[in-house]
Every structure is written in C-alpha cells, then in structure tokens.
Amino acid sequence: MILDETITLNSGIKIPRFALGTWMIDDHKVADAVRTAIKLGYRHIDTAQAYGNERGVGEGVRTANLPRNQVFVTSKVAAEHKDYATTKKSIDETLKKMGLDYIDMMVIHSPQPWKEVNQSDNRYLEGNLAAWQAMEDAVSEGKIRTIGVSNFNQSDLENIIKNSNTIPAVDQVLAHIGHTPFNLLDFARKHQIAVEAYSPVAHGAALDNPVIEKVAKKYHVSVPQLCIRYDWQLGMIVLPKTANPYHMKENTEINFEISEEDMDLLRRVKPLDYGDADVFPVYGGKM
C-alpha cells in the first residue's frame, strides 16, 4: 500500500514517503484534518512554525489513538531564524506548542528570510550554519530525531555539507509537473539527500493544463493523482496538502504506472501560471 511505503534517510531514520501537508489549514481546523488523515492510514504529517498551526497539528497527533512512534511529524524552523539562540528557542517553543516530547524531523524553512526570497543575493551562509548547529544539538538532546532543509539550492546545500558534521536528511522543495528541479534531484541523489515535493499539484495550477489533463484521462485518474504519481515515480517523498477527507483518500490512490514515454512528455511541460498563488515567494512572488 502506498501509505505503508518508507525510505531510510541518510541518518538511518525511516520516513513514510506519503505525507499530509498542512500549509494554510487553520489552527482550529487542522487537528480534525490530522486525525482524519491518520485514520485513513497517513503516517507522516508536515507542518511549520510559519504555518501558525503547530498547536493544532500536535493536538491531532496526540488524540489520534495511535502510539506516538507510529506517526512521523515534521516541522520547520522559521525562515527568519538565522542564529543559534533564536533557532534553539524556537525548537523548544515548537515542542511546547505541539505538546510532544520530540519532533521526528526539523527543517530550515528557507535559506533566506521570506522577505528576501527572489530579491536578495544574500544566501545567509553563516546564519544557516548557526541554525543548523542548534538543530544538530537538539538531535543530541533527543528533541529531534533527524534534520533537513527546505528551498535550498545546490550552493546552500554545499555550505551545510562542507561546514558541518551532518548532511541534511532531506531538501523539501517546490516540485511538480512544469517545475521539476532535475539538477537539484541529481545533486541530492549523489549525496543521499532525500527530496520532498511540496505543492505537487502546483497549488491547483496543474488542474487547468491541457497536456496534464489529457494524460490524466488516458490513465483514468484525476489530475492531482497524476501529478502526485509523477513526483512519486521520480523518487520523491510527496506532501499533498488538503483538509478534505475525500481528497485525502483520493490523493493516495496512485497505484498505477506512468509510462516512460508519458513521463518524458510530462517532464517537458512548460512552466505553469500560478494565478493568485504567485504572490507567495515559493511561486516567485515577493513579500
């Protein structure tokens, strides 16, 4: 079953390949979403300090009638935290908010503070190393099991690899049909860094693409199912976000194989128009 599939990270920790993303799910609604997902068989829940819903995610995990060690919980250090003390404090605050004894994985949310994404050449190399050191220490203290990064490009990853004792376990990036970072995937593979794909359906933009629609019809699947399967076949961990129980279930029904010919066609789909979502930094906007 898709939801049972795991991979072993370079840290030796097993991670489920299918996760529930919780971006833009309100704190007062997310506990229900998490409980529903876990009931459906999800075993990996992804949140972040910046989402403002860690409390609700923690409540959902704690009240899901499943032993804590059977749910993999990821959160992310806010992109603005680029020093040791602030990062360390934020990890303790995340644990307190979530009501958990440990987080399975903590990730640096972005190499740059959000307001500088796409408009600054400063990659905060020293700040990211300071945050990374705080995360390494939190692993030693038993607060976190493994650590990774998000939105890091090759030079950002090389900075961590060359100047710390820990290679990131994951790089969580925007990856979908029409926007697949193939060079980064190759680099990550060489360094045994797992790649996690967020927004596999391009924040809904994939729904209006005629090429994607045509291929989905060929396989008798929905556009989201095709998009998720595409990332899955490229070897990524997938993080589709939804609070809708029907979509939660449908998203996991990807037990079909896209032919190599169709994968090649999908690899060559032109960049998608994100519409209203293009205000967000991850889609090219500025804050």
Side-chain angles (χ1 to χ4, degrees):
M1 187 181 167
I2 292 291
L3 287 169
D4 294 333
E5 283 209 30
T6 62
I7 58 171
T8 302
L9 300 170
N10 60 26
S11 55
I13 302 294
K14 277 191 176 177
I15 185 170
R17 278 191 68 196
F18 207 104
L20 178 75
T22 63
W23 180 43
M24 296 182 78
I25 303 178
D26 290 344
D27 190 50
H28 67 284
K29 293 179 180 172
V30 78
D32 276 343
V34 168
R35 281 189 291 264
T36 300
I38 290 171
K39 198 172 179 182
L40 287 169
Y42 281 72
R43 294 296 179 264
H44 181 178
I45 311 293
D46 181 274
T47 183
Q49 293 171 355
Y51 295 174
N53 63 9
E54 286 180 312
R55 185 213 61 80
V57 169
E59 180 194 324
V61 170
R62 293 194 320 271
T63 57
N65 293 322
L66 204 67
R68 169 68 187 92
N69 64 6
Q70 289 185 32
V71 183
F72 192 99
V73 178
T74 297
S75 192
K76 307 176 198 75
V77 170
E80 292 68 33
H81 297 341
K82 298 301 178 201
D83 65 81
Y84 183 95
T86 312
T87 302
K88 181 179 170 60
K89 185 178 177 222
S90 81
I91 292 166
D92 290 338
E93 285 170 353
T94 285
L95 286 164
K96 190 176 177 185
K97 272 182 198 168
M98 297 190 85
L100 301 176
D101 294 331
Y102 66 90
I103 305 290
D104 293 278
M105 182 162 68
M106 206 82 192
V107 168
I108 296 176
H109 207 156
S110 168
Q112 299 171 294
W114 290 123
K115 68 178 186 295
E116 291 189 42
V117 172
N118 304 317
Q119 54 190 331
S120 164
D121 292 330
N122 185 352
R123 302 306 293 183
Y124 287 83
L125 299 180
E126 287 183 17
N128 286 317
L129 286 172
W132 191 249
Q133 177 70 61
M135 289 161 67
E136 286 181 314
D137 288 353
V139 172
S140 301
E141 293 162 6
K143 296 172 182 177
I144 304 169
R145 293 176 68 218
T146 192
I147 53 179
V149 296
S150 181
N151 299 300
F152 272 47
N153 64 25
Q154 183 171 324
S155 64
D156 301 318
L157 289 170
E158 285 170 340
N159 175 48
I160 302 285
I161 292 166
K162 289 173 183 172
N163 298 300
S164 80
N165 296 318
T166 314
I167 295 174
V170 305
D171 191 2
Q172 187 179 123
V173 298
L174 178 66
H176 58 74
I177 299 167
H179 182 100
T180 313
F182 292 109
N183 290 339
L184 187 64
L185 283 169
D186 289 342
F187 179 83
R189 205 167 284 122
K190 282 175 192 160
H191 291 274
Q192 296 182 301
I193 299 169
V195 177
E196 297 189 323
Y198 67 76
S199 290
V201 192
H203 205 63
L207 298 169
D208 302 319
N209 183 278
V211 178
I212 301 172
E213 276 187 288
K214 188 176 178 183
V215 178
K217 275 182 186 165
K218 177 180 175 179
Y219 289 92
H220 307 289
V221 297
S222 69
V223 166
Q225 285 170 323
L226 183 81
C227 290
I228 294 164
R229 180 71 202 190
Y230 168 85
D231 281 347
W232 187 269
Q233 279 186 216
L234 290 174
M236 290 185 262
I237 295 161
V238 293
L239 311 163
K241 170 245 144 178
T242 183
N244 181 312
Y246 174 80
H247 291 151
M248 270 182 213
K249 185 171 184 299
E250 185 187 65
N251 287 346
T252 68
E253 292 167 352
I254 56 166
N255 260 323
F256 63 96
E257 189 85 20
I258 304 170
S259 73
E260 190 46 50
E261 184 184 10
D262 288 329
M263 281 296 285
D264 193 47
L265 175 68
L266 295 171
R267 283 186 187 99
R268 290 182 281 111
V269 168
K270 289 183 170 63
L272 306 178
D273 178 0
Y274 296 116
D276 292 345
D278 68 6
V279 299
F280 295 110
V282 296
Y283 301 117
K286 297 176 181 180
M287 287 185 89

